[in-house]
Amino acid sequence: MDPSRDRAMEVAMKVIVLGGDGFCGWPTALHLSNLGHDVIIVDNLSRRAIDLELEVGSLTPIAPLGKRLAAWNEITGRKIRFERLDVAENYHRLLSLIAGEVPDAIVHFAEQRAAPYSMKSSAHKRYTVGNNLVATHNVLAAIVESGIDVHLAHLGTMGVYGYGTAGMKIPEGYLPIEVVTDDGVRVQQEILYPSNPGSIYHMTKTQDQLFFAYYAKNDQVRITDLHQGIVWGTNTPETSLDERLINRFDYDGDYGTVLNRFLMQAAVGHPLTVHGTGGQTRAFIHIQDTVRCVQLALENPPQRGERVRILNQMTETHRVRELANKVAALTGAQVAFTPNPRKEDAENDLHVRNDLFLDLGLDPITLDDGLLREVTEVAARYAHRADLDKIPCTSTWTREQRPGAPVEDPKIVAEA
Amino acid sequence: MDPSRDRAMEVAMKVIVLGGDGFCGWPTALHLSNLGHDVIIVDNLSRRAIDLELEVGSLTPIAPLGKRLAAWNEITGRKIRFERLDVAENYHRLLSLIAGEVPDAIVHFAEQRAAPYSMKSSAHKRYTVGNNLVATHNVLAAIVESGIDVHLAHLGTMGVYGYGTAGMKIPEGYLPIEVVTDDGVRVQQEILYPSNPGSIYHMTKTQDQLFFAYYAKNDQVRITDLHQGIVWGTNTPETSLDERLINRFDYDGDYGTVLNRFLMQAAVGHPLTVHGTGGQTRAFIHIQDTVRCVQLALENPPQRGERVRILNQMTETHRVRELANKVAALTGAQVAFTPNPRKEDAENDLHVRNDLFLDLGLDPITLDDGLLREVTEVAARYAHRADLDKIPCTSTWTREQRPGAPVEDPKIVAEA
């Protein structure tokens, strides 16, 4: 039996999971429920609605939430409650829920989380800004108005740091700096790492940080901000229990994360679409480590009056073209270098500290451990559900960028 | 004749003034119109609506906007147009206006601008966040969607910097720092000055900065952010032309700025309400310098692709109790030290660079030049319109703070 389970059972918490029907929220809700915590999912089902808008679906078959929750109860005997409300729109319902339930913690996933979706059009930019910023602020305002000492754990992103690091390791949230005063005295300070977001979506997470810093300072709200890398993988032990519990696997140009896209492309015989040179180095984490990290964060909250606790929720870094090569080596897929729809540096290094989670006991699942299982158990198994038309990244960062789709001249399609 | 007028006339611009019916927006609109620019005011009249909510009004009599604009036309022959729309709500009307008018510049005052109002309740916090952030983002998204190369000048606040400066002068927006890499190498960088807002209102301005940095980087929007000190004074040459053009003078606990409140309190024989020890040092600027600064900013826009141009729009710093003493010396008023409704340091130093505006030719109006005129021409003249019940600052930063009103024990009321 998982030793973390015994520990958690001793301090069973009531936890509201905002966005608990989504890709990270759903497995987090199941994991926390399985540990014996009392979990309430809040969701407006927006992720399902966006599938309708984009005319796409998860590669894996996602059951309706009612069916998911009934299956969880049937299989484990545990009950997860569900409140359908929009955190950005229904402030007073959220406040009533907090005041009535008196939760120990709130996990906040209730944000639009795809960078390409946030860049599709002015309307998508404005939706992402309005939804994400107002949702985060509503949660904070409701916690303060309720007068309850709730620990808020928020999913941030490694993207708040940007991808130019001057040769140093990215610290966990705070950067020690030196400033020279007018008298020539060197003063040492520690500041929130200067943000450099790469999309409207990432920008909202940098703005969230300023909400958190302010509410921690003025109202002593206890806040943990988890700067997560790109998530790969699909299932956790809990979502693997029954197909009705299966997690999302997005492969489309807007919501699919890079590694999952490569896996699906390999499964359907499509060349792996590398944007630009593939020289972008990014941070990654397996979905199973995501849910463990949230657990660890909840078990180790900051004290009241402490500054925001920021942890880098990632376990390894890889260059995009190296990922493509790994998948190609496993599957025999070809690699296609496409135009880069994003406005970003073609190549970058990335060195990230993640000592805090390692010190708390995280034992990461590496790509080399888990990749083959994803290929066979998920991508190949559900490949028949794929809509190949949805593979290209059609959302471009400016009018000058071009979609991330293989161009017609076959010369640029090279073997890995 | 003002030499700046000749220069401007040679390059007459079309300028949209968002929030052009407000305390800074109205005199700015008149000043730009008087210089020969084609001015369009956009406003939702929210400042007038908030007067209704707070059951208070400007000490000076504010004419309806239609009457203001008719008077301006009657007196000067110049025409200012008006579009009533809500920048945060009516995105497509804003976009159509920009696309149809093809303005050279937009001046953005369309934000809720009172820190105490932003702290009154959860609803006021949420209004300020929703209005200010969505408004700023709508303006940026509309500029990009229009495809027009508009220069955006935004009113920020000195409050983005916070009031703890480690003994150095606050630079204009960007701070040179040194970071030590893992190899022990010192790397010099220039970063957006780390923000430390003191209220929800100020927080929204720190978040605005991240909007601007992103849109300047991704879309090459030309942006000037003006970090303004606390404005004092009432009229400019243009608003002084006719009583129908007179500017606002707010004295209430929410919207009144500290110096104007002292002037009004002196005029009605009320003790000058100093919050806490009055040791807070703040930056100040006269409203007439505000409008000149906006003019100078519009005449000196950044280049396309340049980072956000940030200027400190302030001319002098004073400690609050020194201001009270100055007003007391001029008027014979008493000074009352009240509880501080704000959560802030009791005492702070403040040294601020403002070289950029001085280099552009700003010749500041000092407190010592202009204070007496405010006392006689505004505060004393309209004192009969004051509602003394509206003087206390009833909006507190947390449940622990107490309103900024003289306490009943007369011992704490000391002579200046």
Side-chain angles (χ1 to χ4, degrees), chain A residues 91 119 122 126 138 144-145 166 168-169 178-179 181-182 186 191 196-197 199-200 203 206-207 210-211 214-215 217-218 220 343 353 397-399, chain B residues 91 119 122 126 138 144-145 166 168-169 178-179 181-182 186 189 191 196-197 199-200 203 206-207 210-211 214-215 217-218 220 343 353 397-399:
Chain A
Y91 174 78
M119 302 301 288
S122 172
R126 289 181 288 112
N138 277 354
V144 171
E145 188 169 5
M168 64 177 177
K169 270 200 172 175
E178 291 188 2
V179 178
T181 68
D182 290 349
R186 275 179 194 282
I191 62 170
N196 186 20
S199 74
I200 293 286
M203 181 188 70
T206 71
Q207 294 166 306
L210 301 185
F211 282 132
Y214 181 73
Y215 273 89
K217 177 178 76 166
N218 194 69
Q220 280 82 56
K343 186 163 176 172
R353 289 197 193 287
W397 261 230
T398 72
R399 292 189 175 99
Chain B
Y91 174 79
M119 302 301 288
S122 172
R126 290 181 287 112
N138 277 355
V144 171
E145 188 169 5
M168 63 178 180
K169 270 201 171 174
E178 291 189 1
V179 178
T181 70
D182 290 350
R186 275 180 194 280
Q189 295 203 324
I191 62 170
N196 186 20
S199 75
I200 293 286
M203 181 188 70
T206 70
Q207 294 166 305
L210 301 185
F211 282 132
Y214 181 73
Y215 273 89
K217 178 178 75 166
N218 194 70
Q220 280 81 56
K343 187 163 175 172
R353 289 199 193 286
W397 262 230
T398 73
R399 292 191 175 98

Coordinates of all heavy atoms in Angstrom, one line a residue, chain A residues 91 119 122 126 138 144-145 166 168-169 178-179 181-182 186 191 196-197 199-200 203 206-207 210-211 214-215 217-218 220 343 353 397-399, chain B residues 91 119 122 126 138 144-145 166 168-169 178-179 181-182 186 189 191 196-197 199-200 203 206-207 210-211 214-215 217-218 220 343 353 397-399:
Chain A
Y91 N -19.8 34.1 -8.8 CA -19.1 34.4 -7.6 C -19.8 34.0 -6.4 O -19.3 33.3 -5.5 CB -18.7 35.9 -7.5 CG -18.1 36.2 -6.2 CD1 -16.7 35.9 -6.0 CD2 -18.8 36.8 -5.2 CE1 -16.1 36.2 -4.8 CE2 -18.2 37.1 -4.0 CZ -16.9 36.8 -3.8 OH -16.3 37.1 -2.6
M119 N -4.4 32.1 -28.6 CA -3.9 33.0 -29.7 C -4.8 32.9 -31.0 O -4.4 33.5 -32.0 CB -2.5 32.6 -30.0 CG -1.5 32.6 -28.8 SD -1.4 34.3 -28.1 CE -0.5 35.2 -29.3
S122 N -8.9 37.4 -31.6 CA -9.1 38.4 -30.6 C -10.1 37.8 -29.6 O -10.0 38.0 -28.3 CB -9.6 39.7 -31.2 OG -10.1 40.5 -30.2
R126 N -9.5 37.3 -25.6 CA -10.3 38.0 -24.6 C -11.0 37.0 -23.7 O -11.1 37.2 -22.5 CB -11.3 38.9 -25.3 CG -10.6 40.1 -25.9 CD -11.5 41.1 -26.6 NE -12.0 40.6 -27.8 CZ -13.2 40.3 -28.0 NH1 -14.2 40.4 -27.1 NH2 -13.6 39.8 -29.2
N138 N -11.7 35.8 -8.3 CA -13.0 35.4 -7.6 C -12.6 34.4 -6.5 O -13.2 34.5 -5.4 CB -14.0 34.8 -8.6 CG -14.8 35.8 -9.3 OD1 -14.7 37.0 -9.0 ND2 -15.6 35.4 -10.2
V144 N -11.3 35.3 1.1 CA -11.2 36.4 2.1 C -12.6 36.7 2.6 O -12.8 36.9 3.8 CB -10.6 37.6 1.4 CG1 -10.7 38.8 2.3 CG2 -9.1 37.3 1.1
E145 N -13.6 36.8 1.7 CA -14.9 37.2 2.2 C -15.5 36.1 3.1 O -16.2 36.4 4.1 CB -15.9 37.4 1.0 CG -17.2 38.0 1.5 CD -18.1 38.5 0.3 OE1 -17.8 38.3 -0.9 OE2 -19.2 39.1 0.7
A166 N 20.0 33.3 -19.2 CA 21.3 33.9 -18.9 C 22.3 32.8 -18.2 O 23.1 33.2 -17.4 CB 21.1 35.1 -18.0
M168 N 21.7 30.5 -16.1 CA 21.6 30.1 -14.7 C 20.4 29.1 -14.6 O 19.5 29.1 -15.5 CB 21.4 31.3 -13.8 CG 20.1 32.0 -14.1 SD 19.8 33.3 -13.0 CE 18.3 33.9 -13.9
K169 N 20.3 28.4 -13.5 CA 19.2 27.5 -13.2 C 18.0 28.4 -12.8 O 18.1 29.3 -12.0 CB 19.5 26.6 -12.1 CG 20.1 25.3 -12.6 CD 19.9 24.2 -11.6 CE 20.3 22.8 -12.2 NZ 20.3 21.7 -11.2
E178 N 21.1 41.5 -7.0 CA 21.8 42.6 -6.4 C 21.5 43.8 -7.1 O 21.4 43.9 -8.3 CB 23.3 42.3 -6.4 CG 23.7 41.2 -5.4 CD 25.2 41.0 -5.3 OE1 25.9 41.8 -5.8 OE2 25.6 40.1 -4.5
V179 N 21.2 44.9 -6.3 CA 21.0 46.2 -6.9 C 22.0 47.1 -6.3 O 22.4 47.0 -5.2 CB 19.6 46.7 -6.5 CG1 19.3 48.0 -7.0 CG2 18.5 45.7 -6.9
T181 N 22.9 50.8 -5.2 CA 22.2 52.1 -4.9 C 23.0 53.3 -5.4 O 24.1 53.1 -5.9 CB 22.1 52.3 -3.3 OG1 23.4 52.4 -2.8 CG2 21.5 51.0 -2.7
D182 N 22.5 54.5 -5.2 CA 23.1 55.7 -5.7 C 24.5 55.9 -5.0 O 25.4 56.5 -5.6 CB 22.2 56.9 -5.5 CG 21.0 56.9 -6.4 OD1 21.0 56.0 -7.4 OD2 20.1 57.7 -6.2
R186 N 25.9 47.8 -2.7 CA 25.2 46.6 -3.2 C 24.2 46.1 -2.3 O 24.5 45.7 -1.1 CB 26.2 45.5 -3.5 CG 26.9 45.6 -4.8 CD 27.8 44.4 -5.0 NE 28.7 44.7 -6.1 CZ 28.3 44.6 -7.4 NH1 27.2 44.2 -7.7 NH2 29.2 45.0 -8.4
I191 N 13.4 38.6 -5.3 CA 12.2 39.1 -6.0 C 11.5 38.0 -6.7 O 12.1 36.9 -7.0 CB 12.6 40.2 -7.1 CG1 13.5 39.6 -8.2 CG2 13.2 41.4 -6.4 CD1 13.7 40.5 -9.4
N196 N 8.3 36.4 -18.3 CA 8.5 36.6 -19.8 C 7.6 35.7 -20.5 O 8.1 34.7 -21.1 CB 9.9 36.5 -20.2 CG 10.2 36.8 -21.6 OD1 9.4 37.5 -22.2 ND2 11.3 36.3 -22.2
P197 N 6.3 35.9 -20.5 CA 5.4 34.9 -21.1 C 5.4 34.8 -22.6 O 5.6 35.9 -23.2 CB 4.0 35.4 -20.6 CG 4.2 36.9 -20.4 CD 5.6 37.0 -19.9
S199 N 2.8 33.6 -24.5 CA 1.4 33.6 -25.2 C 0.5 34.3 -24.2 O 0.8 34.6 -23.1 CB 0.9 32.2 -25.4 OG 0.5 31.6 -24.2
I200 N -0.7 34.6 -24.7 CA -1.7 35.2 -23.9 C -2.0 34.3 -22.7 O -2.2 34.8 -21.6 CB -3.0 35.5 -24.7 CG1 -2.8 36.6 -25.8 CG2 -4.2 35.8 -23.8 CD1 -2.7 38.0 -25.2
M203 N 0.7 34.6 -20.3 CA 0.6 36.0 -19.7 C -0.4 36.0 -18.5 O -0.1 36.5 -17.4 CB 0.2 37.0 -20.7 CG 0.1 38.4 -20.2 SD -0.7 39.4 -21.5 CE -2.4 38.8 -21.5
T206 N 1.2 34.8 -15.4 CA 2.1 35.8 -14.8 C 1.3 36.8 -14.0 O 1.7 37.3 -13.0 CB 3.0 36.5 -15.8 OG1 2.2 37.4 -16.6 CG2 3.7 35.5 -16.7
Q207 N 0.1 37.1 -14.5 CA -0.8 38.1 -13.8 C -1.4 37.4 -12.6 O -1.6 38.1 -11.6 CB -1.8 38.6 -14.8 CG -1.2 39.5 -15.9 CD -2.1 39.7 -17.0 OE1 -2.7 38.8 -17.6 NE2 -2.3 41.0 -17.4
L210 N 0.7 37.9 -9.5 CA 0.5 39.2 -8.8 C -0.7 39.2 -8.0 O -0.7 39.8 -6.9 CB 0.5 40.4 -9.8 CG 1.8 40.4 -10.7 CD1 1.7 41.7 -11.6 CD2 3.0 40.4 -9.9
F211 N -1.8 38.5 -8.4 CA -2.9 38.4 -7.5 C -2.5 37.7 -6.2 O -2.8 38.1 -5.1 CB -4.0 37.5 -8.1 CG -4.9 38.1 -9.2 CD1 -5.1 37.4 -10.4 CD2 -5.6 39.3 -8.9 CE1 -6.0 38.0 -11.3 CE2 -6.4 39.8 -9.9 CZ -6.6 39.2 -11.1
Y214 N -0.3 39.7 -3.8 CA -1.0 40.7 -3.1 C -1.9 40.1 -2.0 O -1.9 40.6 -0.9 CB -1.9 41.5 -4.1 CG -2.6 42.6 -3.3 CD1 -1.9 43.7 -2.8 CD2 -4.0 42.5 -3.0 CE1 -2.5 44.6 -2.0 CE2 -4.6 43.4 -2.2 CZ -3.9 44.5 -1.7 OH -4.5 45.4 -0.9
Y215 N -2.6 39.0 -2.3 CA -3.5 38.5 -1.3 C -2.8 37.8 -0.2 O -3.2 37.7 0.9 CB -4.6 37.5 -2.0 CG -5.8 38.3 -2.5 CD1 -5.9 38.8 -3.8 CD2 -6.9 38.4 -1.7 CE1 -7.0 39.5 -4.2 CE2 -8.0 39.1 -2.1 CZ -8.1 39.6 -3.4 OH -9.2 40.3 -3.8
K217 N 0.0 38.9 0.9 CA 0.6 40.1 1.7 C -0.6 40.8 2.5 O -0.4 41.0 3.7 CB 1.2 41.1 0.8 CG 1.7 42.3 1.5 CD 2.5 43.3 0.5 CE 1.5 44.0 -0.4 NZ 2.1 45.2 -1.1
N218 N -1.7 41.1 1.8 CA -2.7 41.9 2.5 C -3.6 41.1 3.4 O -4.1 41.6 4.4 CB -3.5 42.6 1.4 CG -4.4 43.8 2.0 OD1 -3.8 44.8 2.5 ND2 -5.7 43.5 2.1
Q220 N -3.1 37.5 4.1 CA -2.5 36.3 4.7 C -3.2 35.1 4.1 O -3.3 34.1 4.9 CB -2.6 36.3 6.2 CG -1.5 37.1 6.9 CD -1.9 38.6 6.9 OE1 -2.9 38.9 7.4 NE2 -1.0 39.4 6.4
K343 N 5.6 32.7 -32.0 CA 6.7 33.7 -32.1 C 7.5 33.4 -30.9 O 7.2 33.7 -29.7 CB 6.1 35.1 -32.0 CG 7.1 36.2 -32.2 CD 6.3 37.4 -32.5 CE 7.3 38.6 -32.6 NZ 6.6 39.8 -33.1
R353 N 15.5 24.3 -11.4 CA 15.5 23.7 -10.1 C 14.2 23.0 -9.8 O 13.1 23.7 -10.0 CB 15.8 24.7 -9.0 CG 17.2 25.2 -9.0 CD 17.6 25.9 -7.7 NE 18.8 26.6 -7.9 CZ 20.0 26.0 -8.0 NH1 20.2 24.7 -7.9 NH2 21.1 26.8 -8.2
W397 N 0.7 33.0 -33.9 CA 0.9 34.0 -32.8 C 0.7 35.5 -33.4 O 0.3 36.4 -32.6 CB 2.3 33.9 -32.2 CG 2.3 33.1 -30.9 CD1 3.0 33.5 -29.8 CD2 1.7 31.9 -30.6 NE1 2.8 32.6 -28.8 CE2 2.0 31.6 -29.2 CE3 0.9 30.9 -31.3 CZ2 1.6 30.4 -28.6 CZ3 0.5 29.8 -30.6 CH2 0.8 29.6 -29.3
T398 N 1.1 35.7 -34.7 CA 0.8 37.0 -35.3 C 0.4 36.7 -36.8 O 0.5 35.5 -37.2 CB 2.0 37.9 -35.3 OG1 3.0 37.4 -36.3 CG2 2.7 38.0 -34.0
R399 N 0.1 37.7 -37.5 CA -0.3 37.5 -38.9 C 0.9 37.1 -39.7 O 0.8 36.5 -40.8 CB -0.8 38.8 -39.5 CG -2.1 39.3 -39.0 CD -2.7 40.4 -39.7 NE -4.1 40.8 -39.3 CZ -4.4 41.8 -38.4 NH1 -3.4 42.5 -38.0 NH2 -5.6 42.0 -38.1
Chain B
Y91 N -16.6 45.6 -26.6 CA -15.3 45.4 -27.4 C -15.6 45.8 -28.8 O -14.8 46.5 -29.4 CB -14.8 44.0 -27.3 CG -13.7 43.7 -28.2 CD1 -12.4 44.2 -27.8 CD2 -13.8 43.1 -29.4 CE1 -11.3 44.0 -28.7 CE2 -12.8 42.9 -30.3 CZ -11.5 43.3 -29.9 OH -10.4 43.1 -30.7
M119 N -11.1 48.8 -2.3 CA -11.0 48.0 -1.1 C -12.3 47.9 -0.2 O -12.3 47.3 0.9 CB -9.9 48.5 -0.2 CG -8.5 48.5 -0.8 SD -7.9 46.9 -1.4 CE -7.5 46.1 0.1
S122 N -15.8 43.0 -1.2 CA -15.5 42.0 -2.3 C -16.0 42.5 -3.6 O -15.4 42.3 -4.7 CB -16.1 40.6 -1.9 OG -15.9 39.8 -3.0
R126 N -13.9 43.1 -7.0 CA -14.1 42.4 -8.2 C -14.4 43.3 -9.4 O -14.0 43.1 -10.5 CB -15.2 41.3 -8.0 CG -14.7 40.2 -7.1 CD -15.7 39.1 -6.8 NE -16.7 39.5 -5.9 CZ -18.0 39.7 -6.3 NH1 -18.4 39.5 -7.5 NH2 -18.9 40.1 -5.4
N138 N -8.9 44.8 -23.6 CA -9.7 45.1 -24.8 C -9.1 46.1 -25.7 O -9.1 46.0 -27.0 CB -11.1 45.5 -24.4 CG -12.0 44.4 -24.0 OD1 -11.7 43.2 -24.2 ND2 -13.2 44.7 -23.6
V144 N -4.6 45.5 -32.0 CA -4.0 44.5 -32.9 C -5.0 44.0 -33.9 O -4.7 43.9 -35.1 CB -3.6 43.3 -32.0 CG1 -3.1 42.1 -32.9 CG2 -2.4 43.7 -31.1
E145 N -6.3 43.8 -33.5 CA -7.2 43.3 -34.5 C -7.5 44.3 -35.6 O -7.7 44.0 -36.8 CB -8.6 43.0 -33.8 CG -9.5 42.3 -34.8 CD -10.8 41.6 -34.1 OE1 -10.9 41.8 -32.9 OE2 -11.5 41.0 -34.8
A166 N 15.0 50.4 -0.6 CA 16.4 49.9 -0.3 C 17.4 51.1 -0.6 O 18.5 50.8 -1.0 CB 16.8 48.7 -1.2
M168 N 17.6 53.4 -2.8 CA 18.0 53.9 -4.1 C 16.8 54.7 -4.8 O 15.7 54.6 -4.3 CB 18.3 52.7 -5.0 CG 17.1 51.8 -5.2 SD 17.4 50.4 -6.3 CE 15.8 49.7 -6.2
K169 N 17.2 55.4 -5.8 CA 16.1 56.1 -6.5 C 15.3 55.2 -7.4 O 15.9 54.3 -8.0 CB 16.8 57.2 -7.4 CG 17.0 58.5 -6.8 CD 17.1 59.6 -7.8 CE 17.1 61.0 -7.1 NZ 17.4 62.1 -8.0
E178 N 21.9 42.6 -11.1 CA 22.9 41.6 -11.3 C 22.5 40.3 -10.8 O 21.9 40.2 -9.6 CB 24.3 42.0 -10.7 CG 24.9 43.2 -11.4 CD 26.3 43.5 -11.0 OE1 26.8 42.8 -10.1 OE2 26.8 44.5 -11.5
V179 N 22.7 39.3 -11.5 CA 22.3 37.9 -11.1 C 23.6 37.1 -11.2 O 24.4 37.3 -12.1 CB 21.3 37.3 -12.1 CG1 20.9 35.9 -11.7 CG2 20.0 38.2 -12.1
T181 N 25.3 33.5 -11.7 CA 24.9 32.2 -12.3 C 25.6 31.1 -11.4 O 26.3 31.4 -10.5 CB 25.5 32.1 -13.7 OG1 26.9 32.0 -13.7 CG2 25.1 33.3 -14.6
D182 N 25.2 29.9 -11.8 CA 25.8 28.7 -11.1 C 27.3 28.7 -11.1 O 27.9 28.1 -10.2 CB 25.2 27.4 -11.6 CG 23.7 27.3 -11.3 OD1 23.2 28.1 -10.4 OD2 23.0 26.4 -11.8
R186 N 28.7 37.0 -12.8 CA 27.7 38.0 -12.6 C 27.2 38.4 -14.0 O 27.9 38.9 -14.9 CB 28.4 39.3 -12.0 CG 28.5 39.2 -10.5 CD 29.2 40.4 -10.0 NE 29.5 40.2 -8.6 CZ 28.7 40.2 -7.6 NH1 27.4 40.6 -7.8 NH2 29.0 39.9 -6.4
Q189 N 21.4 42.5 -16.1 CA 20.1 42.5 -16.8 C 19.3 43.7 -16.5 O 19.6 44.3 -15.4 CB 19.3 41.2 -16.5 CG 20.0 39.9 -16.9 CD 19.0 38.8 -17.1 OE1 18.0 38.7 -16.4 NE2 19.2 38.0 -18.1
I191 N 15.4 44.7 -15.8 CA 14.1 44.0 -15.7 C 13.0 45.1 -15.4 O 13.3 46.2 -14.9 CB 14.1 43.0 -14.6 CG1 14.4 43.7 -13.2 CG2 15.1 41.9 -14.8 CD1 14.1 42.7 -12.0
N196 N 5.1 46.0 -6.2 CA 4.7 45.8 -4.8 C 3.5 46.7 -4.5 O 3.6 47.6 -3.8 CB 5.9 46.1 -3.9 CG 5.5 45.7 -2.5 OD1 4.6 44.9 -2.2 ND2 6.2 46.3 -1.5
P197 N 2.3 46.3 -5.1 CA 1.2 47.2 -5.0 C 0.6 47.2 -3.6 O 0.6 46.2 -2.9 CB 0.2 46.6 -6.0 CG 0.6 45.1 -6.0 CD 2.1 45.1 -5.9
S199 N -2.7 48.1 -2.9 CA -4.2 47.9 -2.9 C -4.6 47.2 -4.2 O -3.8 47.0 -5.1 CB -4.9 49.3 -2.9 OG -4.8 49.9 -4.2
I200 N -5.9 46.7 -4.2 CA -6.4 46.0 -5.4 C -6.2 47.0 -6.6 O -5.8 46.5 -7.7 CB -7.8 45.6 -5.1 CG1 -7.9 44.5 -4.1 CG2 -8.5 45.2 -6.4 CD1 -7.5 43.2 -4.5
M203 N -2.7 47.0 -7.7 CA -2.4 45.7 -8.2 C -2.8 45.6 -9.7 O -2.1 45.0 -10.5 CB -3.1 44.6 -7.4 CG -2.9 43.2 -7.9 SD -4.0 42.0 -7.0 CE -5.6 42.4 -7.7
T206 N -0.2 46.9 -11.9 CA 0.9 46.1 -12.0 C 0.6 45.0 -13.1 O 1.5 44.6 -13.8 CB 1.4 45.4 -10.7 OG1 0.5 44.4 -10.3 CG2 1.6 46.5 -9.6
Q207 N -0.6 44.6 -13.1 CA -1.0 43.5 -14.1 C -1.1 44.1 -15.5 O -0.8 43.5 -16.5 CB -2.3 42.9 -13.6 CG -2.1 42.1 -12.3 CD -3.4 41.7 -11.7 OE1 -4.2 42.5 -11.4 NE2 -3.6 40.4 -11.4
L210 N 2.0 43.9 -17.4 CA 2.3 42.7 -18.0 C 1.6 42.5 -19.3 O 2.1 42.0 -20.3 CB 2.0 41.5 -17.1 CG 2.8 41.5 -15.7 CD1 2.5 40.3 -14.9 CD2 4.3 41.7 -15.9
F211 N 0.4 43.1 -19.4 CA -0.3 43.2 -20.7 C 0.6 43.9 -21.7 O 0.8 43.5 -22.8 CB -1.6 43.9 -20.6 CG -2.8 43.2 -20.0 CD1 -3.6 43.8 -19.0 CD2 -3.2 42.0 -20.5 CE1 -4.7 43.1 -18.5 CE2 -4.3 41.3 -20.0 CZ -5.0 41.9 -19.0
Y214 N 3.7 42.2 -22.9 CA 3.5 41.2 -23.8 C 3.1 41.7 -25.2 O 3.6 41.2 -26.2 CB 2.4 40.2 -23.3 CG 2.2 39.1 -24.3 CD1 3.1 38.1 -24.4 CD2 1.1 39.1 -25.2 CE1 3.0 37.1 -25.3 CE2 0.9 38.1 -26.1 CZ 1.9 37.1 -26.2 OH 1.8 36.2 -27.2
Y215 N 2.2 42.6 -25.2 CA 1.7 43.1 -26.6 C 2.8 43.9 -27.3 O 2.8 44.0 -28.5 CB 0.4 44.0 -26.4 CG -0.8 43.1 -26.4 CD1 -1.4 42.5 -25.3 CD2 -1.5 42.8 -27.7 CE1 -2.5 41.7 -25.3 CE2 -2.6 42.0 -27.7 CZ -3.1 41.5 -26.6 OH -4.2 40.7 -26.6
K217 N 5.9 43.1 -27.1 CA 6.8 42.0 -27.6 C 6.2 41.3 -28.7 O 6.8 41.1 -29.8 CB 7.2 41.1 -26.4 CG 8.1 39.9 -26.8 CD 8.4 39.0 -25.6 CE 7.2 38.1 -25.2 NZ 7.6 37.0 -24.3
N218 N 5.0 40.8 -28.5 CA 4.4 39.9 -29.6 C 3.9 40.6 -30.8 O 3.9 40.1 -31.9 CB 3.3 39.1 -29.0 CG 2.9 37.9 -29.8 OD1 3.7 36.9 -30.0 ND2 1.7 37.9 -30.5
Q220 N 4.3 44.2 -31.4 CA 4.9 45.5 -31.6 C 4.0 46.7 -31.4 O 4.0 47.7 -32.2 CB 5.5 45.6 -33.1 CG 6.8 44.9 -33.2 CD 6.7 43.4 -33.4 OE1 6.0 42.9 -34.2 NE2 7.3 42.6 -32.5
K343 N -3.4 49.1 5.1 CA -2.3 48.3 5.6 C -1.1 48.7 4.8 O -0.9 48.4 3.6 CB -2.7 46.8 5.3 CG -1.8 45.8 5.9 CD -2.4 44.5 5.9 CE -1.5 43.4 6.4 NZ -2.2 42.2 6.6
R353 N 13.2 59.0 -9.8 CA 13.7 59.7 -11.0 C 12.6 60.1 -11.9 O 11.6 59.4 -12.1 CB 14.6 58.7 -11.9 CG 15.9 58.3 -11.2 CD 16.8 57.7 -12.3 NE 17.9 57.1 -11.6 CZ 18.9 57.8 -11.0 NH1 18.9 59.1 -11.0 NH2 19.9 57.2 -10.3
W397 N -8.5 48.3 4.7 CA -7.8 47.3 3.9 C -8.1 45.8 4.3 O -8.0 44.9 3.5 CB -6.3 47.6 3.9 CG -5.8 48.4 2.7 CD1 -4.8 48.1 1.9 CD2 -6.4 49.6 2.1 NE1 -4.6 49.0 0.9 CE2 -5.6 49.9 1.0 CE3 -7.5 50.4 2.4 CZ2 -5.8 51.1 0.2 CZ3 -7.7 51.5 1.6 CH2 -6.9 51.8 0.5
T398 N -8.3 45.6 5.6 CA -8.6 44.3 6.1 C -9.6 44.5 7.3 O -9.9 45.7 7.7 CB -7.4 43.5 6.7 OG1 -7.0 44.1 7.9 CG2 -6.3 43.5 5.7
R399 N -10.1 43.4 7.8 CA -11.0 43.6 9.0 C -10.3 44.1 10.2 O -11.0 44.6 11.1 CB -11.6 42.2 9.3 CG -12.5 41.6 8.3 CD -13.3 40.4 8.8 NE -14.3 39.9 7.8 CZ -14.1 38.9 6.9 NH1 -12.9 38.3 6.9 NH2 -15.0 38.6 6.1

